Structures are given as C-alpha cells and as structure tokens.
Amino acid sequence: MTLGLWLERIGRTLRERLYGLFYGLGYFFNVLKESILFFKRRQVGFRVLVMQILFTGYEALRISAVLALAIGVAINLIGSSLLAGFGQGKLMYTLLIIVITRELGPLLTAFIVIARSGTAIATELGGMVVAHEIEAYVAVGVNPITYLAAPRVLGVVISMMVLTVYFNVFGLFGSFAVMQLLKPVAFQEYMKNLVEVLTVGDLLLGLVKSLVFGVIISVVSTYRGFAVERSTTEVPVAGIRAVGTSFILCIVADAALTAVLYLG
Amino acid sequence: MGDEPIIELRGVGAHRGGFQILREVSFGLAEGATTVFMGGAGSGKSSLLKAAAGIVVPDEGAVLFRGKDLAKMSRAEELEFHRRSGFVFQDAALWANQSLFDNLALPLRLHEHGLSAAEVARAVARVAELVGYSDELKARPSELSTGERRLIGLARALVLDPELLLMDEPAAYLDETSAERVFEIIASLGARRRSVAIVSGSSDIAHRFADSLGVLKAGRLLAFGSYAEAVRWDDPAIRVVTGRLRARKAPVSGDAALSAWADALTGSLGDGAPSAAAPAPARPPDAEARERGKAAAPPEPTDSGGSDQGGRAADTDEEGR
C-alpha cells in the first residue's frame, strides 16, 4: 500500500472520529436541553418517565439493599481489625462515611444501574430502531429525543439519586448489624458517632456523583440504542457498548470528582 | 397554490451505513395527484419516500413542503407538516409497547388538542372500520397477523385525514380482500384530491392509480413523468421496471361510501383539520390527470439512460444540512 493511500485512510478515520465526537456532543447537549425542558413540553412521555423510575429505581431496591448490606459488613470487618491494630478504632466511622457515602455508594449504585437499566435502554431503543418504530414516531411528528430519551434520562437520574441514598442507609445499617456481633454498640451511639464525622460535603459529593453517573448512563445508553442502524444483530452489541462506555465514563468521572474535592 | 408541488425534492442525496442510498433526486408531486415510484429491490424507493416524509434527513439537497424547506422549518411548522402528511410503512412499524388503540390515538392526541377522549375514541373506531379492522383494539401489535398490522399501520396514517399520504408497498402481505380494501381507499383519496405517493414493485398498482410515475435504480431517479408518458418510455433500463405497464382504457374511480366516511372523519377533527367538506370532485379523467402530471413532468427520458432525468432541474441546495 502506498504512502498516499495510508495517509488517505488515516485522514478518513480521523475525520470519521471527529464527526462521531461532535455528533455525540451534539446529541448530549440536545438530550440535556430536552430533559431540562421536559415538563414544559406538551408532547412529553410522563408514562415513560414513571415506568423508567419503576424499573430503574424501585425494581433495583432489593439488589441494591443486598449489595449495600454486604459492603457495610465487609468494611466493618476489615476496618475493625485493621484500625484496632493502630489503636484507631474510632476512625471506623470516618472510614464508613468516606467509603460508603462518598465512594462506593454512588459507584456501586451506578454499576447496578448500568447492568440493569443501561443494557435495557440500549437494547429496547435499538429494537425500536430496527422495527422502524422510531421512524414511525418521527412520521407522526413526535420528537424521539423529547418522547423517548428525555424521560429515560430523568428517570435514570432520579432513580440513581434515590438509590444512592438508599444504598448509603443500608450500607451503614449492615455495618451496624455486624458491630452487634463483634462489639455491640447502642443504635443511638452508633448514629451519634456517624453524624459527628458526617459533613454536608460528604452528602453533597455523593449526590453530585450520583447525578453525574445518572446522566452518563442514560445519555450513553440512549445514544447507543439510537445508533443501531438496521440489523437485529446490532441490538445486543449496542447493549454491550452501552455497558462498556458507561463503566469507563463513570469511573473516570468518579476519579475526576474525587480529585476536585481532595486537590481543589 | 397554483402549480406549486405539494412536496418537492431538489437534488436530494443521502447516505446510510456507508452506502449512498439516494443520488441527486429531483421531482415534484403535483397537488391532488397520485404518483407511483417503481424500481427493483434496493433501488432506493423506500428511502426516497422517507426523505419526502422528513424521516430520512438528506445529506445533500432539500425537501420542500409547499415550497418550504423541511430543514429550515420551525418546530411548529414541522408539527404542522406531520399533521398534514401520513406515512404507511412497509412493515407497519406499529409501537409494540402500546395497544392498537393507542397506536391510532397518538397522532390525534398529539395534533388535535381540542378533542375529548370520547371524540378520540370515535375517530379511532371510524378509521379502524375504514380499513376493515373490526377486532378488539386493546390488543398489542404482536397479537396480530402481519396483514392486520399493516391495516392498522394504514389506519394510523389516515387518522388525521392527511393532505399527503406516502405509502410504502401498500398491498404487501395483504390478502386479496384486504388489498382490495386498500385499493378502494387509495382510489377514494384520489377522488378527494388528496396527494398520494406510492412506492411499489407492482405494475398493477401503477396501472390502477398512477397519474405520474417515477422509476428508480441504485438511488437515482431514472425517469419521472405522467402515466401516459411512462407507457411509452423505451429506455431498456426503465423498461425492465415499467415493461408490464399498459395504456389505460378507462379512468379509475373512487368509492363514494369511503369518501362519505372520510368527510365524516374530517368533520370530527374540527376546524384545524384540512377541509374536506366540499363535495368530492370526480376523479379527473386520464387526460386531466395527464395534464396535472405534466406540470411536474420531466423531459422524456432518452436512450442514454442512467442520468438524472427528474422533472425539475437538479436545483441542488448547496447548503446541505
């Protein structure tokens, strides 16, 4: 292959990547705008929003509770043996707040939502594209972003925030439960110690993270779903890509937000 | 409105999945005429229809509805365009997670805000009856046969009594009775001077309904003209598609009962709906249809073939989208 052909290929790939990037950014801002204006629009999918909250939030409560309890137990078991060795048993509460409220709560909740709702959204929308249902919406004058993407974004964001709070509560409760086995503490004292080390910043950071993760998961999943073109074999691929991209972006965003807090 | 086409494509080109699906397509659909587009599989017939409906956004050129570029329409104008046009998909494209009733009611709820729930229900029942669907509307599309789904798809496109109806293979997957019902509806639309564009591989449909005819190959419009002209086209590349067309002996006519029904439906949609209260004019005789067709007709295709011989000059809109 000649140098000219190589250069042409590199140029074409670069152009396609740049086009994809700007297209993705355009999609992101369009979805964000429609989500913000959701309740002002006449042709809005309230039913889609309610169903999304039910599926992403309500139906994920059980798995979220189990995971949070297990994490709370694990942190308590590891922390109590490790910190006691340094005579810093009291730091257990700080550790719980940092790990559960700031870090693992939002991140693990995001993972649950990616695995359940990210794949579901991408494959559902992908299936609708293949069945020409999206085109049918356009044909009657329905904006698919307003009607299909915006309620899903709002549903996932609301669910993410509620699930994160729920995860925190169950994580801290799991820790309390295991304490009753190792070194019993009165519930009031446990809560008092937690509240002493808990700051508004901890709560806010957890909520900001859950909001950012919710936006990432929903926008990526709807984008991947709409990106399906014609074949049913593209639908599962869209689901897989939605999961992969969401995981990476959530982890990167988590690191960036944590860095802003600690270095800023 | 004069001779302004109801819908016009000017130098439209489009890509999908790395392939060029439309190339420099230019033509205009005359108001009140029925136009049939023919071509082999993969010739770009459906894409052309979707471009005309604003579903496929062209990479080049422009689509104009009553002289207004779809790409430059405000949201309100866009909604109005979709209220005045209907699209029948080849595979019905019903919304699987909604009942048949909701599939039919959504366009009404979207565009006719003044209608009560009872009026929506009445309009839905009427349009279902029109297409000959008499079963339960609470069912989901997956519970229907392909033919039944197609009838509901047609009903969804008709529910707002559109001025422009775009139909992708309207008789595909239908049994003879249902297909005949669809043909009666097409004839009735023609009698009521609704503009209809049909994509079909069937020369029978073209023979029965076409005032104008277009032939596509590899995304390019090879020829576009009146039916009478189409019968005489002798370019081999075009004759492959139109070879079975034959001259008409008598004009087609609409179904009076269907026209009456459609007027009733229009009446129930209130003032916002396009007026159909006037008596349905008789289907113009072939000569008149020919006259109308010529308004947007291109020069006769030459033996050279292959080049764009659309009815209008390739007035490409360089702005693109």
Side-chain angles (χ1 to χ4, degrees), chain A residues 21-46:
Chain A
L21 180 69
F22 284 115
Y23 186 84
L25 282 173
Y27 176 81
F28 173 73
F29 287 116
N30 197 0
V31 169
L32 223 53
K33 186 188 86 183
E34 288 301 322
S35 302
I36 290 164
L37 297 174
F38 181 75
F39 295 101
K40 281 190 173 179
R41 298 282 192 227
R42 270 197 303 190
Q43 48 158 291
V44 292
F46 285 110

PDB file of all heavy atoms in Angstrom, chain A residues 21-46:
ATOM      1  N   LEU A  21     -17.401  12.344  17.356  1.00  0.00           N
ATOM      2  CA  LEU A  21     -17.259  13.084  18.612  1.00  0.00           C
ATOM      3  C   LEU A  21     -18.224  14.266  18.652  1.00  0.00           C
ATOM      4  O   LEU A  21     -18.958  14.462  19.633  1.00  0.00           O
ATOM      5  CB  LEU A  21     -15.814  13.575  18.756  1.00  0.00           C
ATOM      6  CG  LEU A  21     -15.523  14.377  20.030  1.00  0.00           C
ATOM      7  CD1 LEU A  21     -15.580  13.488  21.258  1.00  0.00           C
ATOM      8  CD2 LEU A  21     -14.149  15.044  19.944  1.00  0.00           C
ATOM      9  N   PHE A  22     -18.239  15.034  17.582  1.00  0.00           N
ATOM     10  CA  PHE A  22     -19.117  16.210  17.555  1.00  0.00           C
ATOM     11  C   PHE A  22     -20.588  15.796  17.501  1.00  0.00           C
ATOM     12  O   PHE A  22     -21.439  16.454  18.100  1.00  0.00           O
ATOM     13  CB  PHE A  22     -18.757  17.121  16.362  1.00  0.00           C
ATOM     14  CG  PHE A  22     -17.512  17.918  16.608  1.00  0.00           C
ATOM     15  CD1 PHE A  22     -16.371  17.727  15.852  1.00  0.00           C
ATOM     16  CD2 PHE A  22     -17.471  18.860  17.625  1.00  0.00           C
ATOM     17  CE1 PHE A  22     -15.215  18.439  16.089  1.00  0.00           C
ATOM     18  CE2 PHE A  22     -16.315  19.595  17.871  1.00  0.00           C
ATOM     19  CZ  PHE A  22     -15.184  19.385  17.105  1.00  0.00           C
ATOM     20  N   TYR A  23     -20.861  14.701  16.814  1.00  0.00           N
ATOM     21  CA  TYR A  23     -22.235  14.199  16.766  1.00  0.00           C
ATOM     22  C   TYR A  23     -22.683  13.791  18.176  1.00  0.00           C
ATOM     23  O   TYR A  23     -23.778  14.116  18.620  1.00  0.00           O
ATOM     24  CB  TYR A  23     -22.322  13.005  15.815  1.00  0.00           C
ATOM     25  CG  TYR A  23     -23.726  12.510  15.600  1.00  0.00           C
ATOM     26  CD1 TYR A  23     -24.548  13.103  14.650  1.00  0.00           C
ATOM     27  CD2 TYR A  23     -24.238  11.455  16.355  1.00  0.00           C
ATOM     28  CE1 TYR A  23     -25.841  12.662  14.461  1.00  0.00           C
ATOM     29  CE2 TYR A  23     -25.527  11.010  16.184  1.00  0.00           C
ATOM     30  CZ  TYR A  23     -26.321  11.607  15.230  1.00  0.00           C
ATOM     31  OH  TYR A  23     -27.618  11.163  15.064  1.00  0.00           O
ATOM     32  N   GLY A  24     -21.772  13.085  18.869  1.00  0.00           N
ATOM     33  CA  GLY A  24     -22.066  12.647  20.239  1.00  0.00           C
ATOM     34  C   GLY A  24     -22.274  13.839  21.165  1.00  0.00           C
ATOM     35  O   GLY A  24     -23.201  13.845  21.981  1.00  0.00           O
ATOM     36  N   LEU A  25     -21.430  14.847  21.037  1.00  0.00           N
ATOM     37  CA  LEU A  25     -21.567  16.038  21.876  1.00  0.00           C
ATOM     38  C   LEU A  25     -22.878  16.761  21.578  1.00  0.00           C
ATOM     39  O   LEU A  25     -23.576  17.214  22.496  1.00  0.00           O
ATOM     40  CB  LEU A  25     -20.384  16.996  21.637  1.00  0.00           C
ATOM     41  CG  LEU A  25     -19.079  16.613  22.331  1.00  0.00           C
ATOM     42  CD1 LEU A  25     -17.945  17.539  21.886  1.00  0.00           C
ATOM     43  CD2 LEU A  25     -19.230  16.668  23.852  1.00  0.00           C
ATOM     44  N   GLY A  26     -23.196  16.834  20.274  1.00  0.00           N
ATOM     45  CA  GLY A  26     -24.460  17.465  19.872  1.00  0.00           C
ATOM     46  C   GLY A  26     -25.640  16.716  20.471  1.00  0.00           C
ATOM     47  O   GLY A  26     -26.578  17.324  20.995  1.00  0.00           O
ATOM     48  N   TYR A  27     -25.572  15.384  20.424  1.00  0.00           N
ATOM     49  CA  TYR A  27     -26.633  14.553  20.996  1.00  0.00           C
ATOM     50  C   TYR A  27     -26.751  14.816  22.498  1.00  0.00           C
ATOM     51  O   TYR A  27     -27.848  14.991  23.035  1.00  0.00           O
ATOM     52  CB  TYR A  27     -26.339  13.078  20.735  1.00  0.00           C
ATOM     53  CG  TYR A  27     -27.340  12.154  21.365  1.00  0.00           C
ATOM     54  CD1 TYR A  27     -28.570  11.904  20.752  1.00  0.00           C
ATOM     55  CD2 TYR A  27     -27.092  11.540  22.593  1.00  0.00           C
ATOM     56  CE1 TYR A  27     -29.505  11.077  21.338  1.00  0.00           C
ATOM     57  CE2 TYR A  27     -28.020  10.719  23.192  1.00  0.00           C
ATOM     58  CZ  TYR A  27     -29.220  10.472  22.556  1.00  0.00           C
ATOM     59  OH  TYR A  27     -30.160   9.665  23.150  1.00  0.00           O
ATOM     60  N   PHE A  28     -25.587  14.849  23.166  1.00  0.00           N
ATOM     61  CA  PHE A  28     -25.555  15.043  24.616  1.00  0.00           C
ATOM     62  C   PHE A  28     -26.264  16.350  24.995  1.00  0.00           C
ATOM     63  O   PHE A  28     -27.133  16.368  25.875  1.00  0.00           O
ATOM     64  CB  PHE A  28     -24.096  15.059  25.093  1.00  0.00           C
ATOM     65  CG  PHE A  28     -23.931  15.413  26.536  1.00  0.00           C
ATOM     66  CD1 PHE A  28     -24.277  14.519  27.544  1.00  0.00           C
ATOM     67  CD2 PHE A  28     -23.417  16.651  26.910  1.00  0.00           C
ATOM     68  CE1 PHE A  28     -24.121  14.855  28.878  1.00  0.00           C
ATOM     69  CE2 PHE A  28     -23.254  16.992  28.236  1.00  0.00           C
ATOM     70  CZ  PHE A  28     -23.613  16.089  29.214  1.00  0.00           C
ATOM     71  N   PHE A  29     -25.903  17.443  24.328  1.00  0.00           N
ATOM     72  CA  PHE A  29     -26.489  18.735  24.682  1.00  0.00           C
ATOM     73  C   PHE A  29     -27.976  18.803  24.303  1.00  0.00           C
ATOM     74  O   PHE A  29     -28.774  19.409  25.017  1.00  0.00           O
ATOM     75  CB  PHE A  29     -25.699  19.878  24.027  1.00  0.00           C
ATOM     76  CG  PHE A  29     -24.370  20.092  24.690  1.00  0.00           C
ATOM     77  CD1 PHE A  29     -23.188  19.880  24.009  1.00  0.00           C
ATOM     78  CD2 PHE A  29     -24.300  20.474  26.029  1.00  0.00           C
ATOM     79  CE1 PHE A  29     -21.951  20.049  24.635  1.00  0.00           C
ATOM     80  CE2 PHE A  29     -23.074  20.656  26.663  1.00  0.00           C
ATOM     81  CZ  PHE A  29     -21.894  20.442  25.964  1.00  0.00           C
ATOM     82  N   ASN A  30     -28.321  18.148  23.214  1.00  0.00           N
ATOM     83  CA  ASN A  30     -29.728  18.111  22.812  1.00  0.00           C
ATOM     84  C   ASN A  30     -30.568  17.360  23.849  1.00  0.00           C
ATOM     85  O   ASN A  30     -31.640  17.822  24.263  1.00  0.00           O
ATOM     86  CB  ASN A  30     -29.832  17.425  21.436  1.00  0.00           C
ATOM     87  CG  ASN A  30     -31.156  17.697  20.758  1.00  0.00           C
ATOM     88  OD1 ASN A  30     -32.005  18.395  21.285  1.00  0.00           O
ATOM     89  ND2 ASN A  30     -31.338  17.140  19.580  1.00  0.00           N
ATOM     90  N   VAL A  31     -30.073  16.219  24.292  1.00  0.00           N
ATOM     91  CA  VAL A  31     -30.802  15.425  25.284  1.00  0.00           C
ATOM     92  C   VAL A  31     -30.893  16.197  26.603  1.00  0.00           C
ATOM     93  O   VAL A  31     -31.942  16.230  27.262  1.00  0.00           O
ATOM     94  CB  VAL A  31     -30.100  14.064  25.511  1.00  0.00           C
ATOM     95  CG1 VAL A  31     -30.676  13.351  26.722  1.00  0.00           C
ATOM     96  CG2 VAL A  31     -30.253  13.186  24.292  1.00  0.00           C
ATOM     97  N   LEU A  32     -29.790  16.836  26.971  1.00  0.00           N
ATOM     98  CA  LEU A  32     -29.764  17.602  28.221  1.00  0.00           C
ATOM     99  C   LEU A  32     -30.800  18.727  28.171  1.00  0.00           C
ATOM    100  O   LEU A  32     -31.551  18.940  29.121  1.00  0.00           O
ATOM    101  CB  LEU A  32     -28.358  18.185  28.424  1.00  0.00           C
ATOM    102  CG  LEU A  32     -27.784  18.093  29.834  1.00  0.00           C
ATOM    103  CD1 LEU A  32     -27.830  16.682  30.368  1.00  0.00           C
ATOM    104  CD2 LEU A  32     -26.364  18.626  29.869  1.00  0.00           C
ATOM    105  N   LYS A  33     -30.832  19.410  27.036  1.00  0.00           N
ATOM    106  CA  LYS A  33     -31.791  20.523  26.869  1.00  0.00           C
ATOM    107  C   LYS A  33     -33.225  20.002  26.966  1.00  0.00           C
ATOM    108  O   LYS A  33     -34.050  20.570  27.687  1.00  0.00           O
ATOM    109  CB  LYS A  33     -31.557  21.178  25.496  1.00  0.00           C
ATOM    110  CG  LYS A  33     -32.391  22.436  25.285  1.00  0.00           C
ATOM    111  CD  LYS A  33     -32.275  22.941  23.869  1.00  0.00           C
ATOM    112  CE  LYS A  33     -33.295  22.245  22.977  1.00  0.00           C
ATOM    113  NZ  LYS A  33     -33.238  22.598  21.579  1.00  0.00           N
ATOM    114  N   GLU A  34     -33.503  18.912  26.258  1.00  0.00           N
ATOM    115  CA  GLU A  34     -34.868  18.370  26.257  1.00  0.00           C
ATOM    116  C   GLU A  34     -35.251  17.836  27.641  1.00  0.00           C
ATOM    117  O   GLU A  34     -36.419  17.895  28.028  1.00  0.00           O
ATOM    118  CB  GLU A  34     -35.006  17.264  25.205  1.00  0.00           C
ATOM    119  CG  GLU A  34     -35.001  17.767  23.776  1.00  0.00           C
ATOM    120  CD  GLU A  34     -36.120  18.752  23.467  1.00  0.00           C
ATOM    121  OE1 GLU A  34     -37.237  18.568  23.959  1.00  0.00           O
ATOM    122  OE2 GLU A  34     -35.846  19.737  22.747  1.00  0.00           O
ATOM    123  N   SER A  35     -34.256  17.321  28.386  1.00  0.00           N
ATOM    124  CA  SER A  35     -34.538  16.817  29.737  1.00  0.00           C
ATOM    125  C   SER A  35     -34.874  17.969  30.667  1.00  0.00           C
ATOM    126  O   SER A  35     -35.780  17.870  31.505  1.00  0.00           O
ATOM    127  CB  SER A  35     -33.339  16.037  30.284  1.00  0.00           C
ATOM    128  OG  SER A  35     -33.020  14.972  29.423  1.00  0.00           O
ATOM    129  N   ILE A  36     -34.141  19.073  30.524  1.00  0.00           N
ATOM    130  CA  ILE A  36     -34.399  20.241  31.376  1.00  0.00           C
ATOM    131  C   ILE A  36     -35.775  20.842  31.058  1.00  0.00           C
ATOM    132  O   ILE A  36     -36.512  21.253  31.951  1.00  0.00           O
ATOM    133  CB  ILE A  36     -33.272  21.296  31.193  1.00  0.00           C
ATOM    134  CG1 ILE A  36     -31.975  20.757  31.812  1.00  0.00           C
ATOM    135  CG2 ILE A  36     -33.651  22.628  31.837  1.00  0.00           C
ATOM    136  CD1 ILE A  36     -30.720  21.507  31.382  1.00  0.00           C
ATOM    137  N   LEU A  37     -36.125  20.830  29.761  1.00  0.00           N
ATOM    138  CA  LEU A  37     -37.408  21.420  29.342  1.00  0.00           C
ATOM    139  C   LEU A  37     -38.554  20.401  29.361  1.00  0.00           C
ATOM    140  O   LEU A  37     -39.655  20.703  28.906  1.00  0.00           O
ATOM    141  CB  LEU A  37     -37.265  21.991  27.916  1.00  0.00           C
ATOM    142  CG  LEU A  37     -36.263  23.135  27.744  1.00  0.00           C
ATOM    143  CD1 LEU A  37     -36.107  23.495  26.274  1.00  0.00           C
ATOM    144  CD2 LEU A  37     -36.692  24.362  28.535  1.00  0.00           C
ATOM    145  N   PHE A  38     -38.272  19.212  29.888  1.00  0.00           N
ATOM    146  CA  PHE A  38     -39.226  18.097  29.803  1.00  0.00           C
ATOM    147  C   PHE A  38     -40.631  18.486  30.267  1.00  0.00           C
ATOM    148  O   PHE A  38     -41.619  18.225  29.587  1.00  0.00           O
ATOM    149  CB  PHE A  38     -38.710  16.921  30.636  1.00  0.00           C
ATOM    150  CG  PHE A  38     -39.591  15.708  30.609  1.00  0.00           C
ATOM    151  CD1 PHE A  38     -39.642  14.885  29.500  1.00  0.00           C
ATOM    152  CD2 PHE A  38     -40.398  15.390  31.697  1.00  0.00           C
ATOM    153  CE1 PHE A  38     -40.453  13.771  29.470  1.00  0.00           C
ATOM    154  CE2 PHE A  38     -41.208  14.282  31.681  1.00  0.00           C
ATOM    155  CZ  PHE A  38     -41.232  13.470  30.570  1.00  0.00           C
ATOM    156  N   PHE A  39     -40.721  19.129  31.426  1.00  0.00           N
ATOM    157  CA  PHE A  39     -42.052  19.401  31.986  1.00  0.00           C
ATOM    158  C   PHE A  39     -42.742  20.590  31.304  1.00  0.00           C
ATOM    159  O   PHE A  39     -43.903  20.854  31.562  1.00  0.00           O
ATOM    160  CB  PHE A  39     -41.941  19.621  33.497  1.00  0.00           C
ATOM    161  CG  PHE A  39     -41.490  18.375  34.209  1.00  0.00           C
ATOM    162  CD1 PHE A  39     -40.173  18.218  34.613  1.00  0.00           C
ATOM    163  CD2 PHE A  39     -42.376  17.336  34.436  1.00  0.00           C
ATOM    164  CE1 PHE A  39     -39.752  17.062  35.240  1.00  0.00           C
ATOM    165  CE2 PHE A  39     -41.970  16.177  35.061  1.00  0.00           C
ATOM    166  CZ  PHE A  39     -40.646  16.033  35.468  1.00  0.00           C
ATOM    167  N   LYS A  40     -41.983  21.297  30.454  1.00  0.00           N
ATOM    168  CA  LYS A  40     -42.601  22.407  29.717  1.00  0.00           C
ATOM    169  C   LYS A  40     -43.185  21.947  28.387  1.00  0.00           C
ATOM    170  O   LYS A  40     -43.991  22.645  27.784  1.00  0.00           O
ATOM    171  CB  LYS A  40     -41.547  23.496  29.441  1.00  0.00           C
ATOM    172  CG  LYS A  40     -41.272  24.387  30.630  1.00  0.00           C
ATOM    173  CD  LYS A  40     -40.428  25.568  30.186  1.00  0.00           C
ATOM    174  CE  LYS A  40     -40.275  26.567  31.316  1.00  0.00           C
ATOM    175  NZ  LYS A  40     -39.451  27.712  30.914  1.00  0.00           N
ATOM    176  N   ARG A  41     -42.715  20.807  27.916  1.00  0.00           N
ATOM    177  CA  ARG A  41     -43.152  20.316  26.608  1.00  0.00           C
ATOM    178  C   ARG A  41     -44.570  19.753  26.683  1.00  0.00           C
ATOM    179  O   ARG A  41     -44.964  19.178  27.690  1.00  0.00           O
ATOM    180  CB  ARG A  41     -42.209  19.203  26.114  1.00  0.00           C
ATOM    181  CG  ARG A  41     -40.787  19.663  25.909  1.00  0.00           C
ATOM    182  CD  ARG A  41     -40.667  20.427  24.612  1.00  0.00           C
ATOM    183  NE  ARG A  41     -39.275  20.628  24.263  1.00  0.00           N
ATOM    184  CZ  ARG A  41     -38.777  21.790  23.876  1.00  0.00           C
ATOM    185  NH1 ARG A  41     -39.540  22.858  23.799  1.00  0.00           N
ATOM    186  NH2 ARG A  41     -37.502  21.904  23.535  1.00  0.00           N
ATOM    187  N   ARG A  42     -45.303  19.917  25.557  1.00  0.00           N
ATOM    188  CA  ARG A  42     -46.656  19.360  25.527  1.00  0.00           C
ATOM    189  C   ARG A  42     -46.622  17.863  25.248  1.00  0.00           C
ATOM    190  O   ARG A  42     -47.350  17.095  25.832  1.00  0.00           O
ATOM    191  CB  ARG A  42     -47.470  20.068  24.446  1.00  0.00           C
ATOM    192  CG  ARG A  42     -48.183  21.273  24.998  1.00  0.00           C
ATOM    193  CD  ARG A  42     -49.272  21.716  24.074  1.00  0.00           C
ATOM    194  NE  ARG A  42     -48.784  22.019  22.734  1.00  0.00           N
ATOM    195  CZ  ARG A  42     -49.538  22.605  21.813  1.00  0.00           C
ATOM    196  NH1 ARG A  42     -50.764  22.933  22.080  1.00  0.00           N
ATOM    197  NH2 ARG A  42     -49.063  22.856  20.615  1.00  0.00           N
ATOM    198  N   GLN A  43     -45.741  17.464  24.323  1.00  0.00           N
ATOM    199  CA  GLN A  43     -45.723  16.048  23.924  1.00  0.00           C
ATOM    200  C   GLN A  43     -44.707  15.283  24.770  1.00  0.00           C
ATOM    201  O   GLN A  43     -43.707  14.816  24.275  1.00  0.00           O
ATOM    202  CB  GLN A  43     -45.394  15.915  22.443  1.00  0.00           C
ATOM    203  CG  GLN A  43     -44.213  16.723  21.977  1.00  0.00           C
ATOM    204  CD  GLN A  43     -43.627  16.155  20.713  1.00  0.00           C
ATOM    205  OE1 GLN A  43     -43.042  15.076  20.709  1.00  0.00           O
ATOM    206  NE2 GLN A  43     -43.776  16.867  19.627  1.00  0.00           N
ATOM    207  N   VAL A  44     -44.959  15.216  26.064  1.00  0.00           N
ATOM    208  CA  VAL A  44     -43.977  14.544  26.913  1.00  0.00           C
ATOM    209  C   VAL A  44     -44.452  13.158  27.310  1.00  0.00           C
ATOM    210  O   VAL A  44     -45.641  12.882  27.346  1.00  0.00           O
ATOM    211  CB  VAL A  44     -43.671  15.371  28.178  1.00  0.00           C
ATOM    212  CG1 VAL A  44     -42.931  16.628  27.801  1.00  0.00           C
ATOM    213  CG2 VAL A  44     -44.927  15.687  28.930  1.00  0.00           C
ATOM    214  N   GLY A  45     -43.496  12.309  27.598  1.00  0.00           N
ATOM    215  CA  GLY A  45     -43.832  10.939  27.935  1.00  0.00           C
ATOM    216  C   GLY A  45     -43.810  10.717  29.434  1.00  0.00           C
ATOM    217  O   GLY A  45     -42.880  10.101  29.950  1.00  0.00           O
ATOM    218  N   PHE A  46     -44.839  11.220  30.129  1.00  0.00           N
ATOM    219  CA  PHE A  46     -44.869  11.041  31.585  1.00  0.00           C
ATOM    220  C   PHE A  46     -44.920   9.559  31.946  1.00  0.00           C
ATOM    221  O   PHE A  46     -44.329   9.127  32.923  1.00  0.00           O
ATOM    222  CB  PHE A  46     -46.080  11.766  32.188  1.00  0.00           C
ATOM    223  CG  PHE A  46     -45.904  13.255  32.248  1.00  0.00           C
ATOM    224  CD1 PHE A  46     -46.645  14.082  31.433  1.00  0.00           C
ATOM    225  CD2 PHE A  46     -44.982  13.833  33.103  1.00  0.00           C
ATOM    226  CE1 PHE A  46     -46.475  15.453  31.457  1.00  0.00           C
ATOM    227  CE2 PHE A  46     -44.808  15.206  33.145  1.00  0.00           C
ATOM    228  CZ  PHE A  46     -45.549  16.019  32.319  1.00  0.00           C
TER     229      PHE A  46
END
